[in-house]
Amino acid sequence: MATRYTIGSGLVITALALTLIALLIPVNSFGSRPTAAVAGPAGDDDGGGTLSTAYGPLTAADRDFIRKVRLAGLWELPAGRQAQQRGSRPAIKTAGQHLIDGHTELDRQVIQVGQALGVDLPNQPSAQQQDWLGQMNRARGEEYERLFAQLLRAAHGKVFALVAQIRGQTKNSMVRALATSANNTVLDHITVLEDTGLVDFDALSNNVQPTK
C-alpha cells in the first residue's frame, strides 16, 4: 500500500510540475523580448537594442529621434536662409529667421547629445528633404512662398507628434531635455509659418504635400 501511495504521489507531483513548466514557458518567452521592441514609439530601428548610459536607458526609438532632430536642421537651416534671401513678404522673412535661429541652437544641442550618448548623426539631408529643397529652388515668386510655407508646416506638424511621444516615454534624461527644446522650437516654427497666411490646412488634413 505504501509503495502504491508513493507511486501515486509521484505521478501527481510530476503532472503538477509539467503543468507549471508549460505555464511558465510563454511568460518567460514574453519577458525575454528585447526592450527596444516595446519601449518606445515606432521609428527606424538601428538594431542596437536598449543601451545602458549614464543618463538612463537609450532605446532605438531615442536614437531614431536624435537623428531626426539632426536631419531637421540639415534641411531647415538652408530653407530658412533661402527664405531670407528670396521672400518678398515680411512674414516669410520672419519665418526664415526663426528657422535659422531655432535650428542653429537645436543643432548645437543635438550634436552634444549625439557625442555624449555615442549616437552617429547624419551629415546631409535625406533624399526626401533634398527633394523638398529642390522643389523650392525651382519655384518662383508667390509659388515659392506658398511652397515654402506648406512644406515646412507639413514637416513640422509630423515631427511635433514624434517629439511629444518621445518626451512622454523616454527614460533618458539627455533625450528628454532635447525633446523639450525640440518641442519649443517646433511649436514656434509652426506658429510663424501659419502667421504667413499661406498654409493650406485642408491639404494638411488630407496629408497632401506639393510635388511640383
Side-chain angles (χ1 to χ4, degrees), residues 16-198:
L16 288 172
L18 290 173
T19 302
L20 182 60
I21 290 171
L23 289 172
L24 287 176
I25 286 174
V27 173
N28 289 337
S29 296
F30 177 82
S32 65
R33 289 178 185 172
T35 307
V38 295
D44 294 332
D45 190 342
D46 57 14
T50 299
L51 305 178
S52 211
T53 78
Y55 307 95
L58 183 72
T59 67
D62 291 333
R63 292 190 296 275
D64 178 55
F65 168 70
I66 293 168
R67 294 183 181 111
K68 282 179 177 173
V69 171
R70 169 66 170 166
L71 278 170
L74 289 175
W75 87 279
E76 291 180 33
L77 273 169
R81 296 187 189 105
Q82 186 184 70
Q84 282 277 290
Q85 296 167 359
R86 297 181 56 190
S88 60
R89 288 176 171 85
I92 292 291
K93 291 183 178 292
T94 296
Q97 189 60 54
H98 277 244
L99 290 177
I100 294 169
D101 294 342
H103 281 288
T104 296
E105 175 56 28
L106 206 54
D107 206 45
R108 180 196 63 77
Q109 187 176 351
V110 77
I111 289 172
Q112 288 183 343
V113 171
Q115 290 173 343
L117 297 178
V119 178
D120 293 331
L121 300 177
N123 290 314
Q124 63 179 12
S126 69
Q128 184 181 47
Q129 291 167 337
Q130 291 178 39
D131 178 64
W132 291 338
L133 288 170
Q135 290 181 46
M136 289 190 289
N137 285 334
R138 294 188 295 272
R140 295 291 180 269
E142 184 171 340
E143 178 194 15
Y144 162 75
E145 294 187 334
R146 289 187 180 280
L147 193 60
F148 166 82
Q150 193 69 16
L151 283 173
L152 271 297
R153 174 58 181 81
H156 279 82
K158 287 183 177 180
V159 77
F160 198 41
L162 173 63
V163 172
Q165 196 172 17
I166 290 291
R167 179 63 182 81
Q169 294 186 11
T170 186
K171 296 179 181 179
N172 189 284
S173 60
M174 287 201 82
V175 175
R176 193 177 304 116
L178 179 63
T180 298
S181 296
N183 181 75
N184 296 335
T185 301
V186 171
L187 182 57
D188 172 69
H189 292 175
I190 285 175
T191 302
V192 293
L193 287 163
E194 291 174 352
D195 285 347
T196 64
L198 299 176

